Amino acid sequence: MFRSIIATALVALLPATAVAESNLTIVASLSTGWVRNFNPFNETTRLHSVRDFVYEPLIIFNSMHDGTPSYRLATDYNYSGNLLKLSFHLREGVEWSDGQPFSAKDVVFTFEMLKRQKALDTQNIWDRISAVDAPDANTVVFTLKRVNTNIAFEIVRVPIVPEHIWSKVADPVSFTNDTPVGSGPMTEVRRFTSQIYQQCRNPHYWDAQDLKVDCLSFPQVGTNEQLLTAAAAGAIDWFGAFLPDIERTYIAADPAHFRYWFPPGGTVALNINFDSPDPGNRAAFRNLNFRRAVSMAIDRRAIVDIAGYGYPTVNEYASGIGRTYQNWVDQEAEKEFGQYARFDKDAARALLAESGFRDKDGRGFVSNPDGTPISFTILAPNGWTDWVNTTELVAESLNQIGINARVSTPEPAAWAQKLISGSYDTAINGYLTGETPYRSFDMGFHSRFSGKTRFAATRFVDPELDQALDAFISTIDPAAQRQAMNKVQMILAANMPYVPLYSNPIWYEYDTKRFKGWFNSDNPVARPDVFDGTPERLLHLLALEPVKP
């Protein structure tokens, strides 16, 4: 049934003259209904097909291959001798999708707009640069406030928008950008409904010779169960999702064409809001021993085996660094604090009791030492089945040691907004990966991100942690960088501002029936997932081509 609904919707999108076009059907995010928002700076409701596909990055640094650059709108970059200036040289002959020329002025305009509109500068780029200039039409020079050897990775993640369009926008924060003019391969919105929309070829795309897919279609899918039904029916070409017992539920439906590859990814953790709106919960969350008891109460192996069907990797690192960055692990931090990241229910109960958390009224749940109640929800995005099941197991574990916790499942956009605004108690959250552990720790715990993105949701602030993160990027000396990263891990392990659960697989499934060229373990070109936040998905799109009948 779900396949027929999607198929009917897809046919309705195609004009009579476009029947022969190749159409790649993607699920890049779950949704209960699409909202037309092609603003690449919107952190909560932008469509997940905007970045990379509508707005091409300057450079894509391949996180699976030590940050090897793939040059897109830029052809080169370099630091000055004192590391305080970073120059990008732009590709000549690039046009926007309306035929207007792309130039260094567009790059300068975009960053100046972020300077004027702080809400758009979600990476806090302007905290680290003091100027951006265009000495000629194809060169952009960023002047840094201080040495930052990671800044190139972050600058290229800022979508570059056309000055001739966005300079006329009165409020770029609320702008929904209904008809985007972009630089990427798929800029033309052929049709848009709340159930499905379609982006097709940019008529002026500079790399058209490498683009062999004509259109991308994005059907609305609300839950992992709906996604499985559609995928198993052969209605989805490229998606990423947790699918329980994937060999039986997905691969077995078409063993000749259905495939998956789950390379290791970032940490999934329980976020604890240090600024919880509830005073009783806030008091508990700011108590280190309470947080340690929460951590020790959770059986991570059971979560991986039951909620994750064995696909994730248990994360019992006190700092939460995870298996992905095994070579960066600080053994001293693990030796000193590792016990608090391992399952020990009796020790968790004992630690609560020693710290004054007791059941004062016989209800079966502990209160704070001053008698104020503790009762909170754990947020998980609706439809993200593995995360919902994980939080249910976490809540059960906490209930067993006398902590009153229960699960709530808001829509994904509402979940993200609550994490950003701080209007929550606890929530499951996932962290991005990068070329080193720096990106994950920096976005999660540097104070400059607090309240700006969902990744910095704990609101844990420590000046020494900020200093250690800053020290990591102030040098290109590997020994000094390792020393700084060890300090980061030691601070996080000692304070446990979040509770690491497991290292998430990079969810990636695909269907070879209609397209070939897929990345996989035999063709590991780059990260293979289609999610927003993975610029490598553009490289993946350009590698695909229709299977000839």
Side-chain angles (χ1 to χ4, degrees):
M1 174 62 76
F2 204 85
R3 181 187 186 187
S4 64
I5 292 173
I6 292 178
T8 301
L10 289 172
V11 168
L13 290 174
L14 297 175
T17 56
V19 173
E21 287 182 337
S22 59
N23 185 78
L24 183 70
T25 303
I26 292 174
V27 174
S29 70
L30 300 180
S31 172
T32 55
W34 297 126
V35 175
R36 190 163 183 150
N37 189 334
F38 288 90
N39 185 334
F41 304 105
N42 188 296
E43 283 291 323
T44 55
T45 60
R46 76 166 178 267
L47 293 162
H48 288 212
S49 58
V50 179
R51 294 186 175 183
D52 313 315
F53 296 147
V54 175
Y55 297 98
E56 183 132 340
L58 295 172
I59 302 171
I60 296 173
F61 290 102
N62 192 329
S63 60
M64 188 172 277
H65 295 286
D66 300 321
T68 302
S70 290
Y71 294 103
R72 305 306 303 169
L73 297 182
T75 59
D76 191 13
Y77 77 104
N78 54 68
Y79 286 94
S80 62
N82 63 4
L83 303 180
L84 287 173
K85 287 188 182 294
L86 173 63
S87 299
F88 290 89
H89 303 102
L90 306 186
R91 189 177 301 279
E92 297 184 22
V94 174
E95 295 180 347
W96 294 101
S97 55
D98 61 357
Q100 294 296 308
F102 163 80
S103 78
K105 289 178 61 180
D106 294 304
V107 181
V108 172
F109 167 81
T110 298
F111 281 88
E112 291 289 351
M113 182 176 68
L114 267 57
K115 184 180 182 180
R116 294 190 304 274
Q117 303 285 343
K118 298 291 186 186
L120 302 182
D121 187 12
T122 56
Q123 296 189 72
N124 280 328
I125 292 292
W126 278 98
D127 282 356
R128 289 163 285 169
I129 66 174
S130 59
V132 54
D133 300 294
D136 61 55
N138 295 301
T139 305
V140 180
V141 180
F142 292 86
T143 302
L144 311 185
K145 291 182 177 179
R146 63 193 72 86
V147 173
N148 184 335
T149 56
N150 199 68
I151 194 71
F153 301 144
E154 300 175 56
I155 284 175
V156 302
R157 289 183 178 273
V158 175
I160 306 302
V161 296
E163 179 181 14
H164 67 281
I165 299 293
W166 284 71
S167 62
K168 300 172 185 172
V169 176
D171 182 3
V173 176
S174 61
F175 182 44
T176 56
N177 196 23
D178 290 357
T179 306
V181 173
S183 56
M186 295 292 180
T187 57
E188 305 307 287
V189 183
R190 182 167 289 172
R191 187 181 175 190
F192 194 98
T193 73
S194 62
Q195 284 76 45
I196 194 167
Y197 68 98
Q198 190 178 38
Q199 291 176 217
C200 296
R201 277 178 174 270
N202 172 354
H204 297 277
Y205 188 46
W206 69 272
D207 196 15
Q209 71 276 10
D210 288 327
L211 180 61
K212 303 176 183 67
V213 177
D214 295 313
C215 292
L216 307 179
S217 290
F218 299 91
Q220 174 265 319
V221 178
T223 67
N224 274 1
E225 287 83 1
Q226 291 178 343
L227 179 57
L228 173 58
T229 301
I236 310 296
D237 294 308
W238 185 9
F239 65 103
F242 160 74
L243 299 180
D245 195 3
I246 191 169
E247 291 287 347
R248 181 180 63 82
T249 58
Y250 176 60
I251 300 300
D254 187 350
H257 298 103
F258 292 170
R259 301 284 186 273
Y260 70 93
W261 180 35
F262 295 155
T267 294
V268 172
L270 177 69
N271 278 178
I272 297 172
N273 184 5
F274 278 57
D275 291 338
S276 164
D278 182 276
N281 295 337
R282 186 167 62 246
F285 297 162
R286 292 186 177 187
N287 186 299
L288 175 59
N289 284 343
F290 183 85
R291 299 194 298 275
R292 286 174 170 171
V294 167
S295 175
M296 289 190 291
I298 298 171
D299 187 347
R300 293 164 176 80
R301 170 50 60 190
I303 288 175
V304 165
D305 290 342
I306 297 171
Y309 281 79
Y311 306 142
T313 303
V314 169
N315 188 329
E316 292 183 330
Y317 297 96
S319 70
I321 191 170
R323 187 69 61 83
T324 304
Y325 303 110
Q326 182 68 31
N327 293 334
W328 286 91
V329 173
D330 177 18
Q331 298 299 337
E332 288 300 315
E334 297 307 318
K335 181 179 178 182
E336 189 168 352
F337 300 108
Q339 61 180 308
Y340 300 116
R342 291 190 285 273
F343 178 50
D344 190 337
K345 193 182 301 182
D346 292 337
R349 286 197 185 97
L351 189 57
L352 286 177
E354 293 168 6
S355 305
F357 294 93
R358 288 186 170 80
D359 180 7
K360 298 183 183 302
D361 53 17
R363 295 182 304 115
F365 297 117
V366 299
S367 299
N368 280 297
D370 66 0
T372 53
I374 304 168
S375 176
F376 58 87
T377 56
I378 308 173
L379 302 184
N382 185 36
W384 297 18
T385 313
D386 52 332
W387 282 20
V388 172
N389 292 339
T390 293
T391 52
E392 288 174 346
L393 291 171
V394 168
E396 288 177 13
S397 296
L398 298 185
N399 292 163
Q400 289 172 9
I401 65 166
I403 294 176
N404 190 358
R406 58 207 172 278
V407 174
S408 175
T409 57
E411 291 303 307
W415 162 81
Q417 184 56 45
K418 285 178 178 293
L419 267 60
I420 294 171
S421 67
S423 56
Y424 80 104
D425 287 312
T426 66
I428 191 170
N429 202 354
Y431 290 82
L432 299 175
T433 57
E435 295 75 15
T436 69
Y438 172 80
R439 184 184 184 215
S440 177
F441 287 144
D442 189 58
M443 291 196 72
F445 298 104
H446 198 293
S447 61
R448 69 176 180 277
F449 290 116
S450 185
K452 288 204 168 186
T453 80
R454 72 165 170 90
F455 302 106
T458 68
R459 286 159 169 76
F460 170 75
V461 174
D462 185 321
E464 290 192 11
L465 180 57
D466 286 355
Q467 291 171 11
L469 288 165
D470 293 342
F472 181 85
I473 57 170
S474 67
T475 177
I476 56 174
D477 176 24
Q481 286 194 323
R482 181 166 293 278
Q483 184 180 13
M485 189 53 64
N486 284 349
K487 187 169 184 179
V488 169
Q489 292 176 69
M490 186 63 77
I491 292 172
L492 292 176
N495 290 281
M496 191 157 268
Y498 68 162
V499 178
L501 301 173
Y502 50 79
S503 295
N504 215 30
I506 295 174
W507 303 113
Y508 162 54
E509 293 96 348
Y510 59 104
D511 183 345
T512 64
K513 190 160 54 259
R514 290 177 286 270
F515 292 90
K516 62 181 181 180
W518 299 100
F519 296 171
N520 52 46
S521 58
D522 296 324
N523 183 36
V525 177
R527 275 189 62 141
D529 52 310
V530 71
F531 299 124
D532 192 7
T534 302
E536 292 95 329
R537 63 181 179 166
L538 173 56
L539 305 179
H540 204 163
L541 172 64
L542 294 171
L544 297 178
E545 60 180 298
V547 174
K548 294 180 180 177

